Coordinates of all heavy atoms in Angstrom, one line a residue:
T161 N 91.0 77.3 100.6 CA 90.4 77.9 101.8 C 91.0 79.3 102.1 O 90.5 80.1 102.9 CB 90.6 77.1 103.0 OG1 91.9 76.7 103.2 CG2 89.7 75.8 102.9
G162 N 92.2 79.6 101.5 CA 92.8 80.9 101.8 C 93.4 81.0 103.2 O 93.7 80.0 103.8
E163 N 93.6 82.2 103.7 CA 94.1 82.4 105.0 C 93.1 81.8 106.1 O 92.0 82.3 106.1 CB 94.3 83.9 105.3 CG 94.6 84.3 106.7 CD 95.7 83.5 107.4 OE1 96.8 83.4 106.8 OE2 95.4 83.0 108.5
P164 N 93.5 80.9 106.9 CA 92.6 80.2 107.8 C 92.0 81.1 108.9 O 91.0 80.8 109.5 CB 93.4 79.0 108.4 CG 94.8 79.4 108.2 CD 94.9 80.2 107.0
A165 N 92.7 82.2 109.2 CA 92.2 83.1 110.3 C 91.3 84.1 109.7 O 90.6 84.9 110.5 CB 93.4 83.8 111.0
G166 N 91.1 84.1 108.4 CA 90.2 85.1 107.8 C 88.9 84.5 107.4 O 88.5 83.4 107.9
I167 N 88.2 85.1 106.4 CA 86.9 84.7 106.0 C 86.9 83.6 105.0 O 85.8 83.1 104.6 CB 86.0 85.9 105.5 CG1 86.6 86.5 104.3 CG2 85.8 86.9 106.7 CD1 85.7 87.6 103.6
G168 N 88.0 83.2 104.5 CA 88.1 82.2 103.4 C 87.3 80.9 103.8 O 86.4 80.4 103.1
P169 N 87.6 80.3 105.0 CA 86.8 79.1 105.4 C 85.3 79.4 105.6 O 84.5 78.6 105.3 CB 87.4 78.7 106.8 CG 88.8 79.3 106.7 CD 88.7 80.6 105.9
D170 N 85.0 80.6 106.1 CA 83.5 81.0 106.2 C 82.9 80.9 104.8 O 81.8 80.4 104.6 CB 83.4 82.4 106.7 CG 84.0 82.7 108.0 OD1 85.1 82.3 108.2 OD2 83.3 83.3 108.9
L192 N 89.0 72.3 110.3 CA 88.8 73.8 110.2 C 87.5 74.1 109.6 O 86.7 75.0 110.1 CB 89.9 74.4 109.3 CG 89.8 75.8 108.9 CD1 89.7 76.8 110.0 CD2 90.9 76.2 107.8
R196 N 84.2 75.9 111.4 CA 83.7 77.2 110.9 C 82.2 77.0 110.6 O 81.4 77.9 110.9 CB 84.5 77.7 109.7 CG 84.4 79.2 109.5 CD 85.0 80.0 110.7 NE 86.4 79.8 110.9 CZ 87.3 80.5 110.4 NH1 87.0 81.5 109.5 NH2 88.6 80.3 110.7
A231 N 98.8 75.0 112.7 CA 98.4 75.3 114.0 C 96.9 75.6 114.0 O 96.4 76.1 113.0 CB 99.1 76.5 114.6
D232 N 96.2 75.3 115.1 CA 94.7 75.5 115.1 C 94.5 77.0 114.9 O 95.0 77.8 115.7 CB 94.1 75.1 116.4 CG 94.0 73.5 116.5 OD1 94.0 72.9 115.4 OD2 94.0 73.0 117.6
P233 N 93.8 77.4 113.9 CA 93.6 78.9 113.6 C 92.6 79.5 114.6 O 91.7 78.8 115.1 CB 93.0 78.9 112.2 CG 93.2 77.6 111.7 CD 93.2 76.6 112.8
T234 N 92.8 80.8 115.0 CA 91.9 81.6 115.7 C 91.3 82.6 114.8 O 92.1 83.3 114.2 CB 92.6 82.2 116.9 OG1 93.1 81.2 117.8 CG2 91.6 83.1 117.7
C235 N 90.0 82.8 114.8 CA 89.4 83.8 113.9 C 90.0 85.2 114.2 O 90.0 85.6 115.3 CB 87.9 83.8 114.1 SG 87.1 82.3 113.5
G236 N 90.5 85.8 113.1 CA 91.0 87.1 113.2 C 92.4 87.3 113.7 O 92.9 88.4 113.8
R237 N 93.1 86.2 114.0 CA 94.4 86.3 114.6 C 95.4 85.5 113.7 O 95.3 84.2 113.6 CB 94.5 85.7 116.0 CG 95.8 85.9 116.7 CD 95.8 85.4 118.1 NE 94.7 86.1 118.9 CZ 94.3 85.8 120.1 NH1 94.9 84.7 120.7 NH2 93.4 86.5 120.7
L238 N 96.3 86.2 113.0 CA 97.2 85.6 112.1 C 98.2 84.8 112.8 O 98.6 85.1 113.9 CB 97.9 86.6 111.2 CG 96.9 87.4 110.3 CD1 97.7 88.6 109.7 CD2 96.4 86.5 109.1
N239 N 98.7 83.7 112.2 CA 99.7 82.8 112.8 C 100.7 82.4 111.7 O 100.3 81.8 110.7 CB 99.1 81.6 113.4 CG 100.0 80.8 114.3 OD1 101.2 80.8 114.0 ND2 99.5 80.1 115.3
N242 N 100.9 78.9 110.0 CA 99.9 78.4 109.0 C 100.3 78.9 107.6 O 99.6 78.6 106.6 CB 98.5 78.8 109.3 CG 97.9 78.0 110.4 OD1 98.2 76.8 110.5 ND2 97.1 78.5 111.3
Y245 N 100.8 76.1 105.1 CA 99.5 75.5 104.8 C 98.9 76.2 103.6 O 98.4 75.6 102.7 CB 98.6 75.4 106.0 CG 97.2 75.3 105.7 CD1 96.6 74.0 105.4 CD2 96.3 76.4 105.7 CE1 95.2 73.9 105.2 CE2 95.0 76.3 105.5 CZ 94.4 75.0 105.2 OH 93.1 74.9 104.9
V246 N 98.9 77.5 103.8 CA 98.2 78.4 102.7 C 98.9 78.1 101.4 O 98.2 77.9 100.4 CB 98.3 79.9 103.1 CG1 97.9 80.7 102.0 CG2 97.5 80.1 104.4
P269 N 90.9 84.5 99.6 CA 92.0 85.5 99.8 C 93.0 85.0 100.8 O 92.8 84.3 101.8 CB 91.2 86.7 100.4 CG 89.9 86.1 101.0 CD 89.6 85.0 100.1
H271 N 96.8 86.3 103.0 CA 97.4 87.5 103.7 C 98.8 87.5 103.4 O 99.6 86.8 103.9 CB 97.1 87.5 105.2 CG 97.4 88.8 105.9 ND1 98.6 89.2 106.1 CD2 96.5 89.7 106.4 CE1 98.6 90.4 106.7 NE2 97.3 90.7 106.9
I274 N 101.6 88.0 106.4 CA 101.9 87.0 107.3 C 102.8 85.9 106.7 O 103.6 85.3 107.3 CB 100.7 86.4 108.0 CG1 101.0 85.6 109.2 CG2 99.9 85.5 107.0 CD1 101.6 86.4 110.4
T447 N 91.2 89.3 103.2 CA 90.9 88.3 104.2 C 89.8 88.7 105.2 O 89.3 87.9 105.9 CB 92.2 87.9 104.9 OG1 92.8 89.1 105.4 CG2 93.1 87.2 104.0
A448 N 89.6 90.0 105.4 CA 88.6 90.5 106.3 C 88.7 89.8 107.7 O 87.7 89.3 108.1 CB 87.2 90.4 105.7
L449 N 89.8 89.9 108.3 CA 90.0 89.3 109.6 C 89.0 89.6 110.6 O 88.6 88.8 111.4 CB 91.4 89.6 110.1 CG 92.6 89.1 109.2 CD1 93.9 89.8 109.8 CD2 92.7 87.6 109.2
D450 N 88.5 90.8 110.6 CA 87.5 91.3 111.6 C 86.2 90.6 111.4 O 85.4 90.6 112.4 CB 87.4 92.8 111.6 CG 86.9 93.3 110.2 OD1 87.4 92.8 109.2 OD2 86.1 94.2 110.1
L451 N 85.9 90.0 110.3 CA 84.6 89.4 110.0 C 84.7 87.8 110.2 O 83.6 87.2 110.1 CB 84.1 89.7 108.6 CG 83.8 91.2 108.3 CD1 83.3 91.3 106.9 CD2 82.8 91.7 109.3
A452 N 85.9 87.3 110.3 CA 86.0 85.8 110.4 C 85.2 85.2 111.5 O 85.3 85.7 112.6 CB 87.5 85.5 110.5
G453 N 84.4 84.2 111.2 CA 83.6 83.5 112.1 C 82.4 84.3 112.6 O 81.7 83.8 113.5

Side-chain angles (χ1 to χ4, degrees):
T161 52
E163 167 52 51
I167 62 171
D170 301 48
L192 166 65
R196 206 61 65 91
D232 288 337
T234 300
C235 289
R237 187 176 300 170
L238 297 168
N239 189 332
N242 285 325
Y245 160 80
V246 172
H271 194 285
I274 197 65
T447 53
L449 296 170
D450 58 321
L451 297 181

